[in-house]
Amino acid sequence: MTGDSARMNSKIVVFDGVCVLCSRWMQFVFRRDRDKQFRFAAMQSERGRQLMLQHGMNPEDPMSLLLLEGERAYTDTEAIIRVLRSLGGAWKMRSFAIRIVPRFVRDPLYRRVARHRYQIFGKRETCFIPTTEVADRFLS
C-alpha cells in the first residue's frame, strides 16, 4: 500500500511524548516498522489528546499508551503485544511469550510501571520532536 490508502489503513500509537520510556518505545517501533504501518501521535499534541479523550482516557494523567487499529482500541500489555506481533519476525515470537503471562498479572505490572514512569525513567522538559526522516508518520 502506498499513499493515502496506506495512511487510512495504518495503525496509530498514541504515546506520552515527555516520558523518556514512552518516547524510546515509540522510536523502537518506528525503527523496526519496515512496512510503515504505524503512525504516531504524542498525547500532548492536539490530535493525540483528542484520540485519548475519544477512547475514555485522560491525557493529563495517562496510565497507558493507546493503539488504534481501525475501529478497535487497545491499551496496556494488549497494545504492546499487538505492536510486537505487527512488527513480525522475532518480535512476533516475543509477543507470544508475553501473552503466556495471564493478563490479570501482566496488566497490573504494566500499570505500576506506567504510574511511576517519570520517577523510574525520567521526563523531558518538552515533547518528543521527530526527525525529518519520520516526521511524515506523526499526526499533528
Side-chain angles (χ1 to χ4, degrees):
M1 277 187 287
T2 59
D4 290 333
S5 65
R7 290 193 192 281
M8 287 175 27
N9 294 321
S10 69
K11 300 164 185 165
I12 300 170
V13 177
V14 184
F15 69 100
D16 184 345
V18 297
C19 167
V20 172
L21 174 65
C22 306
S23 294
R24 286 185 182 156
W25 163 252
M26 180 268 319
Q27 291 172 48
F28 167 89
V29 173
F30 69 65
R31 279 194 298 258
R32 287 156 183 84
D33 181 20
R34 290 180 181 85
D35 295 334
K36 298 184 178 180
Q37 58 188 313
F38 290 101
R39 299 199 66 213
F40 306 92
M43 58 186 65
Q44 290 81 7
S45 71
E46 185 58 38
R47 184 68 177 130
R49 181 177 180 74
Q50 181 183 59
L51 290 168
M52 295 286 285
L53 291 169
Q54 283 175 355
H55 292 89
M57 298 177 74
N58 180 356
E60 301 300 324
D61 187 25
M63 296 314 293
S64 181
L65 63 88
L66 174 64
L67 170 65
L68 302 171
E69 291 181 339
E71 299 295 315
R72 304 279 321 250
Y74 302 93
T75 60
D76 300 333
T77 59
E78 190 60 30
I80 291 171
I81 289 167
R82 294 185 76 81
V83 168
L84 290 173
R85 189 171 55 198
S86 294
L87 295 177
W91 300 112
K92 186 174 185 176
M93 295 304 295
R94 289 182 176 116
S95 75
F96 291 124
I98 295 169
R99 192 174 289 280
I100 290 170
V101 178
R103 193 169 188 168
F104 72 87
V105 173
R106 66 180 195 249
D107 278 353
L109 289 172
Y110 173 94
R111 287 187 211 114
R112 185 178 183 97
V113 171
R115 187 173 22 263
H116 300 288
R117 68 191 178 281
Y118 298 144
Q119 295 90 343
I120 298 169
F121 300 100
K123 182 178 179 180
R124 300 173 190 265
E125 290 296 317
T126 59
C127 194
F128 174 83
I129 299 172
T131 62
T132 54
E133 297 89 52
V134 296
D136 65 329
R137 295 180 61 197
F138 281 77
L139 303 173
S140 50

